[in-house]
Amino acid sequence: MKRLSVLAVILLAACSPKPQKTGVEVSNAWIKAAPVAMKTSAGFMVLQNHNARPEKILSAEFSASNVVELHEMLYENDMMKMRKMDAMVIPAKGSLVLEPGGLHVMFIDLKQDLKEGETYDITLNLESGQKLVVPAPVKPYSHGGMH
Amino acid sequence: MKRLAAILLLGVLFTSCSPDSSVFNRYEIGGDFTLTGMEGKPVSLSDYKGKLVLLFFGYTLCPDACPFALSKMSGAFHMLGAKNSEKIQVLFVSVDTERDNPARLKEYFSAFNFPVIGLTGTKEKVDEVAAKYQATYSKVESDSAMGYLIDHSTIIYLIDTEGNVRYKFRHNDGVEIMVNIIKTLMRIQF
C-alpha cells in the first residue's frame, strides 16, 4: 500500500505541468585564461531572463582582480573600441550574450594568474537586489575557426 | 574506411581552398621604421629582412582585441610548426606611449611562447609608424579604473622578406586563413 502511494506521488509529480521558470539563468560562463603579467582578463556567459520584466546587471564582483567593470567592445571599420558601461540590460523573456569581441565582465589589475582548469565565481549584482553567483571555468581563447 | 574518406575529402577541400599568389596585393603603405625594443635598444623592421614579419598595433592593457590577435598568431605558429615559425617574427607596436615602456612590454610578452617583440617610442615616433601603415588609434577618456582606453585598428600586417606589406589580416580572419596565406607567401619567397 505504501509502495502504491509513493508511486502515485511520483506519477502525479511527473504529470503536473512544469513550473514556469523564473529569474535569471546563466549558462556557458567562462573566464579568459591570463597570466598576472597581462593585468587584465574578462568573463563571458549567456544570461537568460525568464521574468516578464527586464533585469539589469548593475555591477559585478570577482575575487582574483582588484577592479571589476562592465565593458563593451565595438568593432567598426577595422577599429576596436572599448567602452565602460554603467549597466547591462537583460531583456524581459530574452537573453544577453557576453562574448569575446562584445560585452564582457572586465577584470582589471589581476591579483594572480588565471590558469586553465581553475574555476572562479563571478558575482553579478542585479537591479532586483539578487546576487547571482556564477561559477566560471578558466579557458584559453578558442582561436578563430578552430572551434 | 569512412574516416579515411573524410580525411581525403578534407585534404581535397583544403588544397582547393589554398590561396594562390594572386591573393597578394602590392600595398602602397608601410616601409622601414625604428622604435625601441624590450631591452631598451633600437629595433628596426629592416633587422628582420629575410624573414616574414607580422606587425600589429595595440597596447598591453587592451582587454580583448590584442589578446585575441596574439592568440590567433600563437595558433598560427602552432599550426605552421617549428621549422616554418623560425622564418617569422611578430612585431607589436604599442600605441600606449604613456603606460607601456620596454620593461612593461617585456613583462607582458613573457607570457607568450612565440617570437614576439614589443616596440615602443615617443608618441611622435609611434605616430609616424602608425601613419606609414595607415593604422589609427585614439585615446578615449573614461571613468574606468584603467584611466583611459584606446580605440585602435586591429589589422595584422603580413610583411615579406623585403619589408613590403603583402596582406592585411582582419579581425575576423581565422587561424586557418592566416596559416594558408603565410604558407603561400613562404612558397613564393623561400
Side-chain angles (χ1 to χ4, degrees):
Chain A
M1 187 61 202
K2 201 176 173 189
R3 230 183 222 179
L4 195 67
S5 58
V6 169
L7 189 66
V9 168
I10 291 172
L11 282 173
L12 209 67
C15 293
S16 61
K18 264 192 178 171
Q20 280 273 311
K21 278 185 178 176
T22 56
V24 174
E25 203 178 357
V26 181
S27 56
N28 297 325
W30 63 284
I31 292 165
K32 178 167 66 80
V36 69
M38 284 187 80
K39 290 193 177 171
T40 64
S41 181
F44 309 99
M45 65 191 79
V46 178
L47 296 124
Q48 189 79 38
N49 181 7
H50 296 292
N51 297 329
R53 58 178 176 73
E55 180 62 275
K56 258 187 196 172
I57 305 168
L58 298 180
S59 63
E61 296 164 31
F62 185 62
S63 63
S65 72
N66 287 311
V67 180
V68 185
E69 294 178 358
L70 305 174
H71 279 226
E72 178 180 30
M73 305 289 306
L74 302 161
Y75 182 62
E76 290 172 349
N77 305 324
D78 291 326
M79 287 277 281
M80 190 54 91
K81 303 175 177 189
M82 185 171 75
R83 297 290 177 266
K84 180 173 173 278
M85 302 176 82
D86 293 329
M88 287 181 190
V89 179
I90 318 163
K93 300 277 181 198
S95 59
L96 183 74
V97 180
L98 277 60
E99 61 185 347
L103 300 170
H104 56 275
V105 182
M106 173 90 191
F107 310 131
I108 301 165
D109 198 6
L110 293 179
K111 294 179 193 169
Q112 63 212 59
D113 292 341
L114 303 177
K115 290 183 196 145
E116 189 176 357
E118 294 175 335
T119 298
Y120 291 88
D121 285 343
I122 303 169
T123 303
L124 303 177
N125 298 313
L126 305 183
E127 194 181 34
S128 60
Q130 191 189 347
K131 260 185 189 289
L132 207 57
V133 180
V134 181
V138 178
K139 295 180 186 179
Y141 259 136
S142 59
H143 310 299
M146 275 179 89
H147 40 197
Chain B
M1 189 59 208
K2 230 177 177 180
R3 203 164 159 193
L4 187 68
I7 291 169
L8 281 174
L9 181 69
L10 212 69
V12 170
L13 282 174
F14 203 77
T15 319
S16 62
C17 291
S18 298
D20 60 30
S21 57
S22 64
V23 300
F24 298 114
N25 298 319
R26 274 258 166 211
Y27 290 97
E28 298 301 316
I29 56 167
D32 196 21
F33 58 83
T34 302
L35 289 166
T36 305
M38 300 189 290
E39 306 300 332
K41 294 184 181 138
V43 172
S44 302
L45 174 66
S46 53
D47 294 345
Y48 298 97
K49 214 168 172 184
K51 280 193 172 196
L52 302 186
V53 170
L54 291 168
L55 174 71
F56 187 74
F57 293 82
Y59 67 116
T60 68
L61 280 179
C62 167
D64 197 297
C66 309
F68 187 65
L70 289 163
S71 91
K72 275 203 302 194
M73 287 188 246
S74 165
F77 273 102
H78 185 74
M79 283 174 77
L80 284 163
K83 214 174 157 202
N84 284 328
S85 299
E86 281 172 13
K87 298 170 187 160
I88 312 170
Q89 178 65 48
V90 178
L91 299 179
F92 179 103
V93 176
S94 170
V95 292
D96 191 350
T97 51
E98 288 170 57
R99 291 183 294 210
D100 285 342
N101 53 35
R104 169 65 191 137
L105 289 166
K106 196 174 177 180
E107 180 193 26
Y108 183 81
F109 286 113
S110 66
F112 292 88
N113 57 355
F114 60 91
V116 50
I117 293 175
L119 299 172
T120 183
T122 61
K123 188 175 182 311
E124 290 70 30
K125 281 259 186 194
V126 169
D127 283 351
E128 210 177 283
V129 179
K132 274 189 170 184
Y133 286 83
Q134 292 176 358
T136 47
Y137 72 95
S138 63
K139 195 172 146 183
V140 181
E141 292 303 333
S142 167
D143 61 346
S144 166
M146 293 171 71
Y148 58 88
L149 304 169
I150 301 177
D151 295 347
H152 62 94
S153 48
T154 53
I155 303 260
I156 300 170
Y157 302 85
L158 174 62
I159 297 171
D160 69 15
T161 52
E162 295 299 314
N164 304 305
V165 174
R166 299 301 292 273
Y167 200 85
K168 297 200 286 186
F169 294 109
R170 301 208 131 74
H171 184 66
N172 296 331
D173 289 336
V175 176
E176 284 87 352
I177 293 174
M178 286 187 77
V179 169
N180 274 344
I181 287 173
I182 290 170
K183 276 188 174 168
T184 306
L185 187 56
M186 281 183 161
R187 274 199 296 274
I188 298 169
Q189 296 226 292
F190 295 114

